[in-house]
Amino acid sequence: MKKIIIAISGASGAIYGIRLLEELIKKGAETHLIISGAAKETIMMETNYSLEELEKNAHHYYNNKNIAAAPASGSFLHDGMVIAPCSMKTLSAIAHGYADNLINRAADVTIKEKRRLILVTRETPLSVIHLENMLKLARLGVFIMPPVTSFYHRPQTVEDIIDQLTGRLLDELGIENSLARRWPEV
């Protein structure tokens, strides 16, 4: 069973992290969820999900202020961490080792332990600062996966677009899925 940390930061697009959580649970992965304070507000503004529902559905839920929680330690073994969405504030903190909360600390530990870290970065347009932070992390082996919409699978709904990215995230985590349409299938 895969053990995956899912973090939702305060950028628009909390549905990406929520949808990933749902699919990981369906696939039998052990989920460890962290939601930032700003993400809690975004979830309430952008979705019909309740925080209680998300916390209850995850196998483990951690308060982002709890810097002593399990994901803050290198001895906490896991198969990957995804921050979806990843705000530019969170990106910057990770790029500069500013581990002031559990999301940032867990990402910092994931990098130092050379485990898979995937950031679904959400901002447009991107400034040189954003791009430099992404490049710095990419050079360390962090996967940068902005939610860029593809159209070769002919999405009919917003859910189709979200599912395509969710499938690609599952691919990067090494979890088989049928959400991402493969090029030969088109």
Side-chain angles (χ1 to χ4, degrees):
M1 171 190 316
K2 296 258 186 179
K3 185 189 294 187
I4 307 295
I5 301 170
I6 304 135
I8 302 174
S9 75
S12 181
I15 192 64
Y16 293 117
I18 293 168
R19 190 73 184 97
L20 179 62
L21 174 66
E22 291 172 342
E23 285 301 312
L24 285 169
I25 291 167
K26 283 183 192 174
K27 296 291 181 183
E30 180 181 314
T31 56
H32 296 260
L33 178 63
I34 312 164
I35 303 173
S36 75
K40 290 178 181 180
E41 293 180 31
T42 305
I43 289 166
M44 289 187 293
M45 288 189 298
E46 292 183 351
T47 77
N48 293 323
Y49 290 86
S50 72
L51 296 172
E52 297 77 22
E53 176 183 9
L54 296 175
E55 293 170 13
K56 185 182 83 175
N57 287 341
H59 292 96
H60 303 276
Y61 172 77
Y62 307 96
N63 185 312
N64 194 36
K65 294 178 184 176
N66 184 1
I67 205 75
S73 173
S75 66
F76 177 75
L77 300 176
H78 63 84
D79 298 296
M81 177 176 182
V82 179
I83 304 176
C86 179
S87 68
M88 293 301 103
K89 177 182 175 183
T90 299
L91 172 75
S92 178
I94 296 165
H96 297 279
Y98 188 65
D100 66 330
N101 60 44
L102 184 56
I103 292 173
N104 299 343
R105 173 64 184 161
D108 187 53
V109 168
T110 299
I111 292 169
K112 83 175 182 71
E113 297 294 331
K114 299 186 181 350
R115 296 188 185 118
R116 186 170 300 268
L117 176 61
I118 304 169
L119 307 181
V120 179
T121 52
R122 270 284 304 118
E123 187 62 83
T124 194
L126 296 167
S127 75
V128 172
I129 295 169
H130 303 147
L131 293 168
E132 286 177 347
N133 286 336
M134 287 182 209
L135 180 59
K136 181 177 186 174
L137 291 173
R139 286 183 170 146
L140 294 173
V142 175
F143 288 78
I144 308 295
M145 288 188 65
V148 177
T149 305
S150 62
F151 292 97
Y152 62 85
H153 66 286
R154 298 182 181 254
Q156 300 298 306
T157 65
V158 172
E159 289 77 19
D160 291 343
I161 294 168
I162 294 165
D163 281 351
Q164 181 72 10
L165 178 72
T166 303
R168 296 296 305 276
L169 289 168
L170 293 169
D171 288 346
E172 290 299 329
L173 292 168
I175 298 172
E176 288 188 36
N177 71 90
S178 59
L179 290 178
R181 296 261 324 263
R182 310 298 171 200
W183 185 255
E185 294 176 5
V186 177

